Amino acid sequence: MREPEPRQSPASIEMLLDPAADAAVRTERDALAARGLSSLAGHTSTSNRPHITLVARVDLPTVGSDVLAGIPSFPITLSAPLLFGTGERRVLARSIVPTSELISLREMILAAVGPGEDAPHTAPGEWMPHVALARRLRVADLAQALDLVGGDVHAHARSVRHWDPATVEITTLAELPRS
């Protein structure tokens, strides 16, 4: 009997937020943790900085900096909380209001990386932009968790990075200057 192939974690291209929005997300994560609820607050690795995943797949090619050259920062709104998954435990996240700038950035990146086997949450037609707050929130704790999530957070896109879990490398692909 053959051994199953080890499952690889997908690499991703992600957009980071301005410092105030980053702090707002961390404050919500900390509030969840302070109440003893599932939270990403304890995952302090640089790879877990609050971000919006634009594409994720196991064989994700590198995007050249020329692809993203000249893209300015643009407004982003972190909005209503949402849940992903099924069963007793879910991912709790902040939804992102899709804008033409965000959709255009994602389309540029998808064109640059070409077709591939995208992770389900980033596949074309399935992508739901979000910033995760907790990965394994019990459904029974949802009401308490929602009390800790504030109103809309108005932010700006600041940079785009490539995260490769196989090499544990984060590469900045572009800084998005304020216009």
Side-chain angles (χ1 to χ4, degrees), residues 38-39 82-93 133-140 142:
S38 177
S39 170
L82 54 85
L83 293 177
F84 291 108
T86 60
E88 168 59 24
R89 295 193 178 259
R90 309 283 178 91
V91 171
L92 174 65
L133 300 174
R135 281 203 184 117
R136 296 190 36 79
L137 181 71
R138 289 178 7 161
V139 173
L142 181 58

Side-chain angles (χ1 to χ4, degrees), residues 20-157:
D22 185 282
V25 171
R26 290 176 191 272
T27 297
E28 290 179 345
R29 289 176 174 180
D30 290 344
L32 291 166
R35 289 264 183 96
L37 302 173
S38 177
S39 170
L40 288 172
H43 189 334
T44 57
S45 165
T46 306
S47 66
N48 198 48
R49 183 175 169 188
H51 63 274
I52 300 166
T53 301
L54 301 169
V55 65
R57 64 174 78 140
V58 171
D59 294 315
L60 185 64
T62 303
V63 173
S65 58
D66 58 317
V67 171
L68 303 171
I71 296 174
S73 177
F74 54 89
I76 294 288
T77 301
L78 287 71
S79 196
L82 54 85
L83 293 177
F84 291 108
T86 60
E88 168 59 24
R89 295 193 178 259
R90 309 283 178 91
V91 171
L92 174 65
R94 284 292 208 123
S95 62
I96 302 299
V97 176
T99 62
S100 60
E101 295 94 345
L102 178 60
I103 292 167
S104 293
L105 174 63
R106 178 171 146 81
E107 292 300 319
M108 287 173 52
I109 289 169
L110 288 175
V113 299
E117 194 172 324
D118 296 319
H121 68 284
T122 68
E126 301 295 322
W127 181 59
M128 174 65 70
H130 66 277
V131 175
L133 300 174
R135 281 203 184 117
R136 296 190 36 79
L137 181 71
R138 289 178 7 161
V139 173
D141 294 332
L142 181 58
Q144 187 179 2
L146 292 177
D147 285 342
L148 302 172
V149 178
D152 287 356
V153 174
H154 299 284
H156 276 85

